[in-house]
Amino acid sequence: MQLLDAQLYVCTDARHGRGDFASFVDAAFSGGVDIIQLRDKQIEAAEELELLTVLRESAERHGKLWAVNDRADIALLSGAPVFHVGQKDLPLAAVRRVLGASVAVGLSTHAPEQVDAALAVAGRGAMTGAHDGGASLSYFCTGPLWATPTKPGRTAVGLGLVEYAARRTAESVAAGEAALPWFAIGGIDHGNVGHVVDAGASRLVVVRAITEADDPADAAARLRAQLPELAPAGAPLA
């Protein structure tokens, strides 16, 4: 699978409470999840690498992608195809020095100016002939749309930032710049996903809507069914 084709992205912890990490990631992928990121601040590096081996094997069986959060060293050692950073984590230039050009790198954004900065990076990549993992930035996430316990203290940005990201992406494409894939994130579930799509998103990152489901495969399939088809190549990528 290529990043440009991904629409449903899930972040999960190590699932110590349920003890079902391997079966969970298999179920999520089988239900239609395209990318799974292991994000657990409570585990040590050795355990993270072990779990990432499980995640990688599952992703390869399903032909899907997997991601590492924050730790470029862990991403390098595990061979992760996707790496994600926040606004206060390693700068993109430093990430690229560690991981090279082949890894897809994503960035969290929480405000219009951060969306603009992400799109500017994509535009520079297009002008130099770089694309996907070859550019400094491969995708961005915008949110959190609603308050969520996975990001305590983070102010919810609302659907206005989704509308802004969709509009600015369309403007970038109209100007002949690269269309940078982006994902809406933060408190998205089966009850509000329609509002997120109506605001202009066609890619989502979710946590509890799938990680807390009794049937992760079914939860993923029902979310996936509410997402629109992606725009064809050359059209705006919401």
Side-chain angles (χ1 to χ4, degrees):
M1 159 165 275
Q2 299 297 314
L3 177 67
L4 286 174
D5 299 321
Q7 287 186 273
L8 187 55
Y9 189 149
V10 168
C11 295
T12 181
D13 62 11
R15 297 184 70 82
H16 283 160
R18 302 195 187 203
D20 64 349
F21 184 81
S23 60
F24 168 77
V25 297
D26 263 335
F29 280 137
S30 67
V33 171
D34 300 309
I35 308 173
I36 296 179
Q37 178 191 124
L38 174 58
R39 184 175 70 195
D40 193 324
K41 305 292 187 180
Q42 306 305 314
I43 60 176
E44 301 292 340
E47 182 182 2
E48 185 169 359
L49 286 169
E50 291 177 1
L51 290 172
L52 288 171
T53 297
V54 173
L55 179 55
R56 182 191 69 231
E57 292 173 351
S58 179
E60 289 174 350
R61 284 195 301 273
H62 291 276
K64 301 297 182 68
L65 297 170
W66 55 283
V68 168
N69 182 58
D70 289 348
R71 293 281 301 269
D73 56 338
I74 296 293
L76 180 64
L77 289 170
S78 63
V82 182
F83 181 63
H84 191 85
V85 292
Q87 289 288 323
K88 296 182 179 180
D89 295 324
L90 278 177
L92 294 174
V95 170
R96 285 296 178 203
R97 284 199 295 273
V98 174
L99 299 181
S102 63
V103 175
V105 178
L107 177 68
S108 298
T109 67
H110 318 295
E113 59 269 22
Q114 294 173 355
V115 170
D116 289 342
L119 290 170
V121 170
R124 289 194 296 273
M127 287 187 288
T128 60
H131 57 87
D132 199 24
S136 293
L137 189 64
S138 309
Y139 72 92
F140 67 94
C141 296
T142 187
L145 306 188
W146 291 281
T148 169
T150 63
K151 288 292 183 179
R154 178 80 70 189
T155 302
V157 300
L159 291 173
L161 193 58
V162 172
E163 295 169 347
Y164 183 83
R167 183 173 68 253
R168 287 289 293 112
T169 300
E171 292 170 353
S172 295
V173 172
E177 299 173 353
L180 188 63
W182 59 277
F183 297 77
I185 185 173
I188 300 170
D189 58 28
H190 297 87
N192 59 33
V193 62
H195 299 299
V196 181
V197 170
D198 288 345
S202 57
R203 294 176 169 88
L204 308 176
V205 180
V206 300
V207 182
R208 292 171 296 157
I210 293 178
T211 63
E212 295 185 2
D214 292 332
D215 186 340
D218 176 70
R222 288 188 290 116
L223 276 173
R224 189 62 184 258
Q226 296 190 67
L227 297 178
E229 290 187 10
L230 291 175
L237 288 171

